[in-house]
Amino acid sequence: MVSEQTSLLNNNNNKQQEEDYKFNPNNYSEEEDIAIMKDNKFFSDDKQVIISSINNNNDTLLKKNNLSILPKPILYKYRWIILAIFSLSSFLCSFYQTTFSSISTIALHYWNIPDQTWKVNMMSLIYLVMYVPMSGVSSYLMKHYGVKKPLLLAMFLNFIGGWIRFLGYKKGSEIFFWVAFIGQTCTATAQPLITNAPTLVANNWFGEKERTTATTIATFVAILGSGVAFGVGPLLVSGMTNNKNQETGSEYGMLLLLGLQALLGSLVIIIFVSFFKEKPATPPTFQLKSTASLASLNNGDNNDLLMDDEQHFFQDIKSIITNIHFLLILVAYSIGYGVLQCFITILDQVIVPKGYTEYDGSIFGIIVIVAGCIGATGNGFLTDYTKKYKLSLAFCGFFTLVGFAGFSVVMLWTKTTLMYALACISVSFVGMFSVPIVPLCLEISCEITFPVKGSTSAAVLYSSGTMTAAVVLVALDIIQQFQLQNHRNNHPESRGSVIHEDTGNTRLILWISLGLLFISFTSSLFFNGKYKRMESEKMHKEIMSSIHQQNENNKEEQEY
């Protein structure tokens, strides 16, 4: 009788303990997960995971060693709201950056600086200049303070910068150009805090089969901001005036353009403060750092087990820049990104001498963006499903090269209906296959540099890309100025006005850019890195499965 009562009491206690320790996202702690896993000895040898029990005479931990308390990843529907808010901030950054690129030839007359294209180009170049120092700052802030606080700082800078830009709307004086430039510098300072974050946001909120898609969505929404700038900018600034003043632009149109952007920046910061969250209560995945982590656990060291533990910032950087496969991706991304960034920035200046108009440049820009969104969406879903990162990167790189080569050949002739149609087809190829390269390189860098945080590898990628873009843009601008000066020396009557005839700039700029893109594509072909993050997630699943099986066996033995 006593025996039966004791057995019944033990069963009730076990059930109560299961309920007490049942996983709850509100009371889960990493220490508890470590304690569970320390009750087992791990040793990993390539693909095989061997687990054996340790009898440590700790009754509490032995009782807690039950599958019911093991944390299970949860995907929250709220993740899509987080992605939408983040994507909106990315959209605003690109909208600010491309504002004056879409009206570069108009801006020369609007602020009365017709001989100085470098000043208008500085509106985009400042983004590249500010990116290098701020990228390191953003990586450091995200590592030590998470993603929300750096993003909030970026929202504030965009808010302030947007309204300063608005004050520079006045026409006819170079002083107001510099006022707008100060605002542009504020928004340029904010950009790295946002562009380095997509992989971290995706990693915090999305599962392993959704991360590439989430990063892709954030990326192409940012590029969509550039497309809107190309469509709205010329429409407002040049379209809201008569044909006689169309080349110099409309002051009311500029006021409306910069005012709408400032209002959008105000709306974005309000939405961000109200709804954005750092991370969910329960992570979407649980990741072990590496095989070495298991060895550390075997030796009683907990500090290397979980992703959120501190790593020295400079050790992260060192591990990245000494990874040969990352360096290959870095070269491929930096050159490709730099060339395409410059292409968008000086597109008007390249095509106008061939008989095209600012509106044609806007159409080309919109085609690049729309085709890019289609390509990025399709490639994102396909890559998430197949995980064939290298194949996707090589495929996109090749057809980007084909599209840019086609556009370069078309620009050998002046504008006709046929040439215009071929140019549209060419830029659609450039957009459809170049845009997906950005999220692809970001995800590949996260995989091959794991366990380094995604924001750190993204910061290195973007910094290198922007430095390359700055160098290329300055070099191309020097070429432009040299060719323009020669033309003015030979044609004195053209001084003080914007030159619309071909001075040889177009061919030289496009062929130099094409050669650089070929180097970028060739570099991607040599990449053959390991996808360490996926291996870690697979290892963790195997460990959890083995613990589950062991717990079931122990339970059966106790019942027996």
Side-chain angles (χ1 to χ4, degrees), residues 34 37-38 40-46 48-51 54 288-306 539 543:
I34 294 174
M37 299 182 72
K38 280 200 69 177
N40 300 271
K41 187 171 184 177
F42 303 96
F43 175 78
S44 175
D45 182 15
D46 294 331
Q48 219 172 12
V49 179
I50 304 171
I51 301 177
I54 297 177
L288 289 174
K289 285 186 175 182
S290 63
T291 302
S293 303
L294 300 180
S296 299
L297 182 63
N298 230 9
N299 296 326
D301 182 7
N302 298 340
N303 295 328
D304 198 43
L305 180 63
L306 295 174
M539 184 184 298
I543 291 171

Side-chain angles (χ1 to χ4, degrees), residues 492-523:
E493 70 280 1
S494 66
R495 291 175 184 173
S497 62
V498 177
I499 297 175
H500 292 287
E501 60 266 28
D502 188 9
T503 61
N505 283 341
T506 300
R507 292 190 299 276
L508 189 57
I509 288 174
L510 290 177
W511 291 119
I512 290 174
S513 300
L514 183 62
L516 292 172
L517 281 179
F518 180 77
I519 295 174
S520 172
F521 170 66
T522 304
S523 177

Side-chain angles (χ1 to χ4, degrees), residues 397-419:
F398 175 76
F399 281 102
T400 299
L401 192 62
V402 170
F404 201 91
F407 185 79
S408 301
V409 171
V410 169
M411 287 296 124
L412 292 175
W413 290 275
T414 55
K415 179 183 176 182
T416 64
T417 302
L418 176 61
M419 291 298 106

